[in-house]
Amino acid sequence: PYLHTGSQCEIPTGEFRIGHLLAPADFSHLRWTVDTEEDLSRVRYMVAELPEDYSWMDALSLLTRRPELLLDTTGEPTRITLRPATSLDGDWLFDWVNRQDCLDNKLKTRGPVARQDHDAWLDNRLASDDSSIWIIEQDGAPVGQIRLEKQGGGLEVDIYLDNAVRGGGIAAVALEAVRTEAARLWPGVALVARIKPENMVSRRLFAKAGYGKVTIDQDHMIYSRDPAVMKRGRE
């Protein structure tokens, strides 16, 4: 409150000039403050990855690639990276899409996908301006994929993780990283996840990730999150 000149009559305030800066996107999901021991631990992890003479933009660039550095609240952070998929990732993507747990939760796919059909689909998505795919890596090894596809005024989110790494917070970190990418690539477009009612794991994941608006379609539920928006910050 001391910095908010004249904002609270009952609390002494300082004499400061107030200005507003327009950020390129909404970064409010990143916790920059250090109020607790957990905050200090998270910031130490982040600073250890930065060059000696860094700026806040260097920190933001790092967190765009490694958002888990500030998301974890206790212990060692969940460390992952997202990298754009290429045609060389076809084997990984083909394997994941044909796993039974993946097929069980698809809305349109009813059976295994043929390799020729999958390769044509992948080439189309990689060439499209309305779609982006990232490979989720842990310690340099691919463990899943996350995709954004612009459809009907929204960005539809599709995520799959290898069963061996589930439950460790990777999915939540990947969703937060993709939110930042969505704000950069398609500013102002809402995020949407289409989920079967019986898929409680995904329903809990997206609800916890801030997809708070829920509507019901014929055979699935639609979880939505408002887009990251450019807003004015106080300094």
Side-chain angles (χ1 to χ4, degrees):
Y2 182 74
L3 296 176
H4 296 171
T5 301
S7 62
Q8 301 183 48
C9 60
E10 73 277 12
I11 300 178
T13 59
E15 294 295 329
F16 300 98
R17 290 183 298 172
I18 302 298
H20 294 87
L21 298 178
L22 185 63
D26 180 3
F27 304 119
S28 60
H29 60 289
L30 298 174
R31 182 176 174 83
W32 299 95
T33 58
V34 179
D35 296 324
T36 67
E37 291 185 7
E38 289 79 11
D39 292 339
L40 180 59
S41 177
R42 287 196 295 269
V43 170
R44 280 174 171 165
Y45 280 122
M46 179 185 71
V47 172
E49 301 288 336
L50 290 168
E52 182 176 349
D53 186 22
Y54 67 87
S55 70
W56 79 273
M57 289 297 290
D58 293 316
L60 179 62
S61 177
L62 172 65
L63 293 175
T64 299
R65 304 188 309 271
R66 302 275 307 283
E68 75 277 4
L69 292 175
L70 287 188
L71 282 176
D72 201 39
T73 56
T74 59
E76 182 75 14
T78 301
R79 296 180 181 272
I80 69 164
T81 56
L82 297 186
R83 64 168 176 81
T86 71
S87 58
L88 298 178
D89 296 305
D91 289 344
W92 290 106
L93 295 167
F94 178 71
D95 175 48
W96 292 328
V97 78
N98 279 311
R99 293 189 182 181
Q100 192 59 51
D101 59 339
C102 182
L103 292 171
D104 289 343
N105 292 315
K106 292 291 186 183
L107 295 176
K108 297 179 180 179
T109 305
R110 302 302 180 188
V113 180
R115 183 59 189 255
Q116 183 178 358
D117 294 337
H118 183 267
D119 288 349
W121 171 89
L122 179 58
D123 288 342
N124 179 274
R125 294 303 184 276
L126 293 177
S128 174
D129 292 333
D130 292 330
S131 178
S132 283
I133 306 172
W134 292 267
I135 301 298
I136 305 169
E137 293 186 336
Q138 185 178 40
D139 299 326
V143 296
Q145 66 88 28
I146 188 164
R147 185 177 84 251
L148 294 178
E149 188 165 342
K150 191 176 180 181
Q151 291 188 9
L155 282 174
E156 298 205 358
V157 185
D158 180 89
I159 183 170
Y160 179 82
L161 282 183
D162 190 293
N163 190 57
V165 298
R166 293 177 190 172
I170 290 177
V173 172
L175 285 175
E176 199 61 44
V178 159
R179 179 174 182 261
T180 302
E181 289 297 313
R184 181 178 65 85
L185 296 171
W186 298 284
V189 182
L191 299 166
V192 176
R194 299 181 182 273
I195 307 170
K196 288 185 175 180
E198 62 270 23
N199 188 355
M200 293 303 300
V201 173
S202 289
R203 288 174 59 182
R204 285 193 291 267
L205 169 66
F206 280 94
K208 188 175 180 180
Y211 290 67
K213 182 180 178 181
V214 182
T215 55
I216 308 297
D217 208 327
Q218 289 184 342
D219 60 349
H220 65 279
M221 307 178 74
I222 303 173
Y223 283 66
S224 303
R225 182 171 187 179
D226 289 337
V229 297
M230 293 188 295
K231 69 177 186 179
R232 295 184 179 276
R234 191 182 183 104
E235 187 168 283

